[in-house]
Amino acid sequence: MTSKDESERRTRRERIDPRLNEAGWRLGQGAASSTANRTEEHETANGPADYALWLDRNIVGVVEAKKVSLGPQNVLTQAERYARGLSDSPFNFGGLRTPFLYSTSGEVTWFHDVRHPLNRSRKVAQFHTPVALAELLSRDFDAECQRLVALPHDHPRLREYQKEANAAVETAIASRKRNLLVAMATGTGKTFTCVNQIYRLMKAGAARRVLFLVDRRALAAQAVRAFSSFEVEPGKKFDQVYEVYSSRFQTEDFGDEEKFDPKVLPQNYLTDPKPGHAFVYVCTIQRMAINLLGRQAIFGLGDEHIDDDAERLSIPIHAFDAIIADECHRGYTSQEVSTWRSTLDHFDAIKVGLTATPASHTTAYFTNKVFEYPYEKAVREGHLVDYDVVTIRSDVRMNGLFLRAGENIEVVDPETGLSEMDKLEDERQFDSSELEAKVTAPESNRRILVEIQKHALDHQQRYKRFPKTLIFAVNDLGHTSHADQLVNLARDVFGGGDAFVQKITGKVDRPLQRIREFRNRKTPGIVVTVDLLSTGVDIPDLEYIVFLRPVKSRILFEQMLGRGTRKGENYTDKDHFTVFDCFDGTLLRYFRNSTGITAEEPIAPTRTIAEVIGDVWANKDRDYNIGCLVKRLQRIDKSMAGEAREMFAAFVPEGDMARFARGLSQALRSDFGEAMRVLRNKDFQDLLVHYPRPDRTFLRAPDASDNVTSTVIFRDVAGNEYKPEDYLATFAKYVRQNEEHIEAVRILLDRPAGWSPHALKELKDKLTQSRYRFTPDNLQRAHEACYGKPLVDIVSMVKHAADEQQPLWTAEERVERAFARVTAGLTFTAEQQRWLDKIREHMRANLSIDREDFDLIPIFADSGGLPVATRVFVADWLDRLIRDLNLAIAA
């Protein structure tokens, strides 16, 4: 019998009754019993209700059953009709004489709390237990929401947009919305905002038991620390007011130097939640999925460490009042999305998704996007830094690798790591997509690193520090690891020793501790990863992000990019980070026109070949599925070992799968039954999956060369990109157009006597705040790229923009020229010369000077300041010196 033929009575007996019993609603005597129970076919003025749920001798719920083939959502109206017909009930909610309504087929259940007109009906995974409904009845959610929205948003450490996010969530909750999405750019303090939100919910009573769900142990450890350090009120940390629990961590999750002992959640808090419980539980999606669905549910959820003590538990749907799903965009495949949804769907709770990169499957689940704070706005308001781009063109990366006959190659056994040198007997062409999977060209990787080193050395000269660098490699596969190769090459190229360049992937010892060291210490300066540091890891001082890994997922790309957006912690002058696109800018161009909310769908799970054959047999979209099957068989032909042909010969002539695939469409048309007899043979289908493959080999091409170049790309506030020559052309046009609007430009071009520190500040501010982001650093790099002149001073840049005949000088050259002009033919005492040297040093850094500087700048103030300087230079000579030097700088 199919589900379509199943009667309502059988549905009730086999599907609904067991679920009611499991929830604690056993068949009983109704009001005659002091314990919770259910009665069936309860008479009402409007007909018999299928089930009545009794608690404290009152009917608190009506359940309407329908056979499994009917959708139960629309059946709630019948439950409402019976609820209106109840008599002798103490409840009355607009004529409905019971607070809770259910409609169910035993497989799908809908629930409606009718006590408030804004409450929406919703699907629930199970029936509520008597304890759950008693708790719902005991709460005054209206009063809780009123207390929540009345709480002042006055936490001193919260920024304005974080307060707005909290207010938006609370307004939505008060409006009875239950699935909420908060989108905030990476680095804007989602976790901090969320911890404050949870405290407000708990303080108001709107949520007592809160699940904070993450997908990485690193994020769980980070969240536990955030709760323990967050001061909710003066002198009170969060975990001193409310309990904060987690699963068991390892010592290295928090670092050897950190004395921290998080509490492990008692199991009965999950299996037997009490109204008096008030706590936060920080948990990974992997552990909670095991608790709810069993260990098979976590296959396909990445290589995150799984707790050995995690087991399947019987957890009621009311275990949590609110769930915060951090990084809720996660789920690049349908399997991952399914596990996330199944886990979240189990609980009847307010659900808030946090993400920096909402995807379509995220917004489809968390239906109410209540707040958004995008990256561009965060940059504009000074909370995050923007990025510059360096495109690196590698002929090998763009065109693939061509090996000529006679070239030396190293053949590597991926299983053992053993290798031997050989000469190529014939030429071979490898597509760029096969790099680091089937073949590698170490010299290509080395030259790319050398190109990056050039920019790093320039950065070091400019900022007096090496840029903390994160490199994304293609893979970390045993004996053919691209990550390992990059680490070894970078140690040679950058020359900082083993400690300076490190690998952090899931395969290293204590990866979370390695991440903390990268975050908090000067070394390592360079880290190579694959995707362990792609999301949720906070490294504020990161300044270089290198994409040596092709990326097709918009979500993953934005998360990788987000590692660099935070303002510096130790490097307070960090005003941007640099992205190295090692695919000649194609990665950035690929994603340039995508929106913040991507239309990218999770990757669909691949059907098994047996399922494709089954669909052909069932005549489901037959032509399409025959086409799919032919392509599968052709791929098998290309990937089978020689012995597989002998095995396939038992089913197809001579084991020739290519010929069998080519003729399959015609064979099915001419004799469908005979062709399907072969295809449906279980031994044949098993062989299609488990046929012998040739041993995998990996080639290392030590002699393969590569042509690698790089170009700095500048971005304006709208995201438009400019090559150096275009950037300087735009700058020249800007200077000419603003000569009459920017006083400092007019001074440099027409009235040099007006030059001063005030004019210099105005010039820098106006240029930096322009839509083109003409920062001194950007302009210097553009001039170096176009003219080969490093560290050009800002005065030269403006003058050259207005007149290409004007020379380009560094600040040191300009100051020396000014001093030579002003002091020519003059003699000075030893004390005057010492003061002139101080003035020269100051002007090299500042290109101007005035009287106030002598009391404010340490190099002058420490020697007595303005009074001493005035005495040393006598009369008004100091004022003339200041005037003449400023004039000479601007002239």
Side-chain angles (χ1 to χ4, degrees), residues 247 266-268 270-271 281 283 286-296 298 306-315:
S247 53
Q267 185 170 298
N268 68 297
L270 287 176
T271 58
Y281 178 38
C283 183
Q286 291 84 356
R287 185 182 183 91
M288 187 54 68
I290 291 174
N291 290 158
L292 296 173
L293 309 169
R295 283 192 171 262
Q296 75 282 353
I298 62 171
I306 306 302
D307 300 329
D308 294 333
D309 63 337
E311 59 182 337
R312 191 164 188 172
L313 302 171
S314 178
I315 303 175

Side-chain angles (χ1 to χ4, degrees), residues 20 91 97 101 120 212 275 291 322 427 450 452 503 516 536 544 569 605 640 672 716 729 748 797 837 850:
L20 285 167
F91 305 112
R97 306 303 302 277
L101 306 178
R120 294 277 306 278
F212 192 90
N291 290 158
E427 63 185 32
V450 167
I452 294 167
K503 178 179 79 171
R516 281 192 302 278
Y544 277 13
E569 201 167 79
M640 68 170 65
F672 183 78
D716 64 20
L748 286 178
M797 291 188 282
D837 291 341
D850 64 15

